[in-house]
Amino acid sequence: MQLLGPTSNTFISQRLRLHYVDWGNADKPPLLLVHGGRDHCRSWDWTAEALREDWHIIAMDHRGHGDSQWTEDGNYRTMDLVYDVAQLIHQLDLAPVTIVSHSWGANTSLRYAGLFPENVRKIVAIEGLFPTPEREAMMKNVPFARRVRDFIGEKRKAAGRLPRRYPSLEDAYARMKGENPYLTDAQARHLTLHGINRNEDGTFSWKFDPHLNVDGAPYDITVEQRNELWKAITCPTLLLNGADSWAGNPDKNGMAQHFRNAEVIEFENAGHWLHHDQFDKFIATLKDFL
């Protein structure tokens, strides 16, 4: 991949120094790329490269991810990520902005679009609708106090766990390939190089905060509140899912009904990272929608 790379920048949100990259063309319409959990802003490089001539592209690193600062308490609540997105859009004066987002970043961006519908021109959410109805049913069967106790136990374990160290880049690269078998060698290598730091002893560790390995805190908005935010979105909405993913099809599981103006497209031979797994189809679909 021959890239004329982006510039690296920071902004402050809730006293955290957060990172984003800017692909230039400030006179073009703004397009914000928002990654998912345990990922980083440079995972959008292929998308940015394909769209940069027609858009002013900004790709952010969530708190605790990539080159953004980790939180002091190791807690990462979705509504705090919503604040970060709101802060970036406000500080850079991006509204009305087009948003393309994935997974946790898509969940976050959809909430933002419901809170500030006037600020979003169009939004693409890749695999961002969760918890799914099946997961909701499972959660309802577990008393709240038990969920909190389990979360506290998992956080305590995480506090005593050191970041994994890989002897070489090849070992980290193999781990990346193992997480998503659809990735090409070039994709896996690029994602690894931008997602890892070298330790003082020469080993390598992922950039994201190890506390992110703990499932989300049980203190979040309710499903009903989430659905209200989705219904408040006024802009055209594109919901993408991979046929081989755990996240499910929004048309089939009924989640698409909570949106006013949403189109659902499912990608065959693709999992949770469909924008990597079926890149050419993804870009063609994206250009048609945008």
XYZ file of all heavy atoms in Angstrom, residues 41 206 218 266:
36
model
N -7.168 4.068 14.953
C -7.608 4.896 13.828
C -6.961 4.500 12.504
O -7.549 4.714 11.440
C -7.357 6.368 14.128
S -5.609 6.861 14.212
N 0.303 -4.628 22.629
C -0.745 -3.850 21.962
C -0.905 -2.503 22.642
O -0.735 -2.371 23.854
C -2.068 -4.615 21.977
C -2.010 -5.928 21.280
C -2.168 -7.161 21.833
C -1.767 -6.153 19.883
N -2.032 -8.141 20.871
C -1.790 -7.555 19.673
C -1.533 -5.308 18.796
C -1.582 -8.115 18.415
C -1.332 -5.875 17.540
C -1.361 -7.260 17.356
N -21.822 -2.739 33.689
C -23.284 -2.881 33.718
C -23.991 -1.581 34.053
O -25.158 -1.598 34.411
C -23.492 -3.940 34.820
C -22.334 -3.777 35.731
C -21.178 -3.374 34.858
N -26.378 -6.704 3.966
C -25.574 -7.789 4.535
C -24.503 -8.213 3.531
O -24.779 -8.344 2.344
C -26.467 -8.977 4.888
C -25.716 -10.134 5.529
C -26.649 -11.180 6.098
O -27.115 -10.996 7.244
O -26.929 -12.166 5.388
